[in-house]
Every structure is written in C-alpha cells, then in structure tokens.
Amino acid sequence: MRVVIAGGHGKIALLLHRRLTERGDTPLGLIRNPAQAQTVRAAGATPVVCDLEHTAVADLATHLTDADAAIFAAGAGPGSGAARKDTVDRAAAALLADAATRAGVRRYLLVSSMGVDDPPAAGTDDVWAAYLRAKRAAEDDLRDRDLDWTVLRPGRLTDDPPTAAVTLTRHAGHGAISRADVAHVLAALLDEPRTTGATLELVAGPTPITDAVRAAAT
C-alpha cells in the first residue's frame, strides 16, 4: 500500500512511517521544511517537500499519483496563532482532500481531536478555541465529500510507550492515548474499509487494537 501522509515530520507520522514500512507498505511524508527530510527518511518514508499553506491543488495531486490512501496528520503546532490553526488544521486538510479527489485516491483518514462537537466554553484560550473550530470545520468539510473517509479523534496525546490496547468508539470519554498507539490505530484503519464514514474517538483502554478496529467497523 502506498500511503501519503501530510504532516510527515510530526511525532505521530514518524511512528506511522515505521509501522507501515515494517509491514511492507510505502509511506510518503509531506513536509514543509527541507531540513526535516533526513529524519523522515530515517523513519522509513520518502520525504516530499510540499508546503500545504502555499501549494496549488494540482501540484499536490501529483504527489498522490498511484497512492492507495491519504492521511492528514498535520497541525500548526505549539506556538502558532489562531490564523495558522485555520490555514493548516482546516484549509490544508481540505486541500489534501481536493488533491486526493483529483488523483483518484478514495481512502482518506483525518486525525482530528476530541472536544470539537461543542462550541468552546466561555473563557477558553483564543488559540485553543481556534484549533477546535478548525478541526471541526475540517471534519464537516470531509463529510460532504465523496471519499472513503474516516475521522479519528484521539484524546490527550502522550509520548508513553505503546500498549496496543485502546478504547475506540463514537464516544470514548475523556482520557489519554500514546502517539504510538494512535499510529498503530491509523495503520489498522487502513486495513478496515468498513470504517468508512465513521467518526471514532480514541483513548487508552482494554481492547487489542485489531479487535477494537474490527468492532468499530460499520
């Protein structure tokens, strides 16, 4: 399977590159900074420099030629302001979906966030509120598209070792999840087309990942 991953230098993506490569897939990591290429290559992926905030859909689509799936795991990241939450977490996700459609890539996984169903509470930090709104807008945009999409909403992310056991369901409740387990779940979702059209929350839990993904399939 050839998989194009936006946010290719992110912590989840680097873990996902390794997992996909180990099982014989071919990951391609989209990165903004050329200095990140060696790290992406060392994780087993082919790095492609492509700034999703300044790229035309036609150019991005060329990188998805012959791909089997696209995964949006990008984010504006810590220290970015509200404006970049919109241009990356929303607009870049839509751009990747546009490019996938143009390239004929139907499978699309969106890494979103828990907490986007309700408007930000009064007093919420402006940047965090912008992040939640951007993630929700990206989800809503994806649901209107003719793609085989799945939305994954992880809980609070940690760098803890993987447990390979999770809770994966429509409403998982508050909790944390290791980035390594998120990467494992993303890889498993690629193998389960019956999760198309599902929005799934993910936290640590008791169920082996393969079983959890199978149970979440619609």
Side-chain angles (χ1 to χ4, degrees):
M1 186 180 296
R2 185 171 186 266
V3 184
V4 177
I5 304 167
H9 187 258
K11 290 183 178 181
I12 290 173
L14 291 173
L15 293 162
L16 181 57
H17 297 328
R18 294 186 179 94
R19 176 162 289 276
L20 294 176
T21 300
E22 287 169 359
R23 71 181 204 177
D25 294 326
T26 303
L28 183 152
L30 302 178
I31 56 175
R32 182 170 59 90
N33 185 350
Q36 299 169 341
Q38 184 54 44
T39 303
V40 172
R41 193 175 290 112
T46 299
V48 172
V49 178
C50 181
D51 186 344
L52 296 179
E53 292 178 276
H54 302 95
T55 299
V57 63
D59 294 332
L60 179 55
T62 63
H63 301 308
L64 279 85
T65 302
D66 298 326
D68 298 289
I71 298 177
F72 187 83
S80 59
R84 291 201 68 229
K85 301 304 183 188
D86 184 70
T87 58
V88 177
D89 292 274
R90 179 198 60 80
L95 179 70
L96 184 66
D98 287 338
T101 298
R102 181 173 291 216
V105 179
R106 294 202 54 83
R107 192 70 171 113
Y108 187 108
L109 305 184
L110 173 67
V111 180
S112 185
S113 174
M114 293 178 65
V116 303
D117 280 333
D118 300 315
T124 300
D125 174 79
D126 288 345
V127 174
W128 180 250
Y131 169 78
L132 294 176
R133 286 193 294 266
K135 286 297 188 186
R136 179 54 189 258
E139 290 187 12
D140 291 343
D141 172 82
L142 188 57
R143 293 187 183 100
D144 289 335
R145 294 177 181 269
D146 182 23
L147 291 171
D148 297 335
W149 57 264
T150 303
V151 173
L152 183 65
R153 295 174 172 177
R156 180 176 56 84
L157 295 170
T158 76
D159 292 320
D160 293 339
T163 66
V166 300
T167 295
L168 179 70
T169 186
R170 181 65 184 88
H171 299 290
H174 296 293
I177 184 73
S178 73
R179 290 178 173 87
D181 283 326
V182 175
H184 189 166
V185 168
L186 287 168
L189 287 171
L190 289 174
D191 294 333
E192 184 46 90
R194 293 179 301 158
T195 58
T196 294
T199 298
L200 302 169
E201 295 185 348
L202 174 65
V203 296
T207 307
I209 287 175
T210 300
D211 294 340
V213 169
R214 186 182 301 116
T218 56

